[in-house]
Amino acid sequence: MEDLVRELAVDKHARYIVSVEKRKDDFESVVMEHLRMNGAYWGLTTLDILGKLDMVDPDEVITWVMSCQHESGGFAGNIGHDPHILYTLSAVQVLALFDKLDVLDTDKVSNWYNTFHIMFCLIYKVDVAGLQNEDGSFSGDMWGEIDTRFSYIAINSLSLLHRLDKINVEKAVKYIVSCKNVDGGFGCTPGAESHAGQIFCCIAALAITGSLHHVDKDLLGWWLCERQVKSGGLNGRPEKLPDVCYSWWVLSSLIMIDRVHWIDKKKLIKFILDCQDKENGGISDRPDDAVDVFHTYFGVAGLSLLEFPGLKPIDPAYALPVDVVNRIFFGG
Ligand code: GRG
């Protein structure tokens, strides 16, 4: 392991993340414009895991996050865009990273209080008015698309806000369980093909709600560990190419069901390290491809799950550093 430790280009990755944030007109920044909130979550969480969160100005970030809030309460991917449940989770996660959920709660300035209140109204609407459907599933926004991703997102954000009581958790769990397949995996809706990304969403939602007893851990563990290919990388479903992002989706799921020892950790570490741009920083999907913030996050988060020395541990269900999650649930 010691030889590998030196191979992680910590400073270069941190500088790469900060530089993407600052650039406004190159390709990556332009295609990310409408989902910048999600990008902010990936980038800032990566910096925190690397121990480099102090490279950004918290006030600047928080001001921008709050200016992405829609009057309905939900957060958009950027200023002036429509709100979506995914960006609302990203906003909550970014506020959590900077320990700003408490500041919102106690801030005497009425705007802040109102903002927080409106946010709760949105979450409340998630329950009553529409985003949770009769069958327990969740829609992502007013347009109604249903997906187990949205179940996870709702459960994660409400749990971080200590408001899980605002939804029907029993129905939400029942819906997720109805998306379980005979191979032990989960899809986006009942009967849909098992995919590692959806499996993460379902397993993490079940973990947060204390419902992992619904999972056949050996069957699912077997399906998940078969995702490791010769190069050491993981794919998202059979016959597909490996991709660094599955170092998160697959690995976190294996950890939550206690089967992470079923894959070759050292080979996976080597695969992730081979995907680094060692000169300019950043991590790509596969060796020698172009880097982006998404894969940089999943590479670094994957290494953290693999207990790579020098990295902050990340929580496999909440997808936030363990110290942030502990602060929210145990104080301190
Ligand atoms: C807070 C970590 C976190 C997540 C928020 C957005 C979300 C919740 C979860 C997304 C889960 C998901 C479906 C991930 C898969 C993403 C992906 C790489 C899809 C690609 O699918 P294909 O079919 O790729 O194009 P393959 O690899 O199957 O060829």
Side-chain angles (χ1 to χ4, degrees):
M1 182 70 106
E2 256 152 48
D3 46 326
L4 293 176
V5 170
R6 277 190 301 275
E7 276 191 41
L8 181 65
V10 171
D11 291 330
K12 288 194 173 157
H13 296 325
R15 275 205 296 277
Y16 163 73
I17 301 266
V18 173
S19 76
V20 172
E21 260 308 291
K22 292 215 161 29
R23 290 194 313 249
K24 293 274 181 284
D25 49 6
D26 69 351
F27 180 73
E28 189 172 353
S29 305
V30 170
V31 293
M32 296 259 305
E33 134 86 24
H34 66 291
L35 40 82
R36 196 154 170 245
M37 184 66 76
N38 205 206
Y41 157 71
W42 295 330
L44 294 166
T45 307
T46 308
L47 287 181
D48 201 10
I49 299 170
L50 292 171
K52 303 280 180 190
L53 197 57
D54 57 1
M55 285 173 77
V56 295
D57 174 3
D59 292 339
E60 208 179 293
V61 177
I62 302 306
T63 306
W64 172 76
V65 167
M66 297 315 293
S67 61
C68 292
Q69 193 175 31
H70 192 254
E71 55 184 16
S72 69
F75 285 81
N78 208 339
I79 299 169
H81 290 250
D82 287 342
H84 190 278
I85 196 168
L86 172 61
Y87 306 129
T88 304
L89 170 62
S90 295
V92 169
Q93 287 174 310
V94 170
L95 293 175
L97 278 179
F98 290 102
D99 198 12
K100 290 289 177 184
L101 291 173
D102 282 358
V103 172
L104 281 171
D105 205 10
T106 53
D107 203 314
K108 298 275 188 283
V109 185
S110 59
N111 268 356
W112 281 92
Y113 175 77
N114 280 339
T115 313
F116 203 39
H117 177 70
I118 292 166
M119 186 155 76
F120 277 159
C121 288
L122 163 89
I123 303 299
Y124 192 64
K125 267 204 243 154
V126 163
D127 174 27
V128 212
L131 294 189
Q132 185 168 30
N133 305 301
E134 204 31 53
D135 62 358
S137 66
F138 282 86
S139 303
D141 57 17
M142 58 187 283
W143 307 110
E145 182 193 357
I146 291 172
D147 191 311
T148 43
R149 275 178 303 162
F150 307 144
S151 302
Y152 164 69
I153 289 169
I155 286 169
N156 186 353
S157 44
L158 286 169
S159 175
L160 291 172
L161 294 169
H162 306 290
R163 300 293 284 218
L164 262 183
D165 58 314
K166 288 290 166 201
I167 55 163
N168 188 327
V169 172
E170 203 184 315
K171 273 190 171 184
V173 167
K174 206 165 159 214
Y175 180 77
I176 292 169
V177 173
S178 76
C179 297
K180 185 163 70 172
N181 292 319
V182 287
D183 58 15
F186 293 78
C188 51
T189 48
E193 179 191 7
S194 295
H195 187 285
Q198 306 296 150
I199 292 173
F200 159 78
C201 291
C202 295
I203 295 302
L206 294 176
I208 291 171
T209 54
S211 314
L212 280 174
H213 54 278
H214 290 292
V215 180
D216 183 335
K217 294 180 180 166
D218 286 340
L219 187 63
L220 176 59
W222 182 242
W223 190 93
L224 286 169
C225 78
E226 282 201 312
R227 304 283 55 79
Q228 189 160 37
V229 300
K230 263 200 187 128
S231 62
L234 304 168
N235 63 18
R237 46 193 166 143
E239 307 302 326
K240 290 283 192 162
L241 290 174
D243 183 318
V244 157
C245 77
Y246 297 113
S247 312
W248 172 265
W249 310 118
V250 172
L251 208 55
S252 55
S253 305
L254 279 168
I255 290 174
M256 288 185 276
I257 61 166
D258 281 331
R259 299 292 182 275
V260 73
H261 51 286
W262 287 8
I263 59 151
D264 187 331
K265 290 188 184 182
K266 206 166 172 200
K267 271 184 98 175
L268 179 56
I269 290 178
K270 171 102 178 50
F271 176 80
I272 299 173
L273 293 173
D274 284 347
C275 293
Q276 298 179 98
D277 178 338
K278 284 202 178 157
E279 224 165 279
N280 303 308
I283 297 176
S284 56
D285 56 354
R286 283 180 280 282
D288 301 321
D289 279 355
V291 303
D292 58 56
V293 179
F294 178 80
H295 289 93
T296 306
Y297 164 85
F298 289 113
V300 171
L303 290 174
S304 163
L305 290 175
L306 290 159
E307 299 174 87
F308 195 87
L311 298 181
K312 262 195 183 186
I314 186 161
D315 185 280
Y318 288 100
L320 281 171
V322 168
D323 64 334
V324 172
V325 175
N326 285 346
R327 191 167 64 209
I328 289 171
F329 293 107
F330 308 113

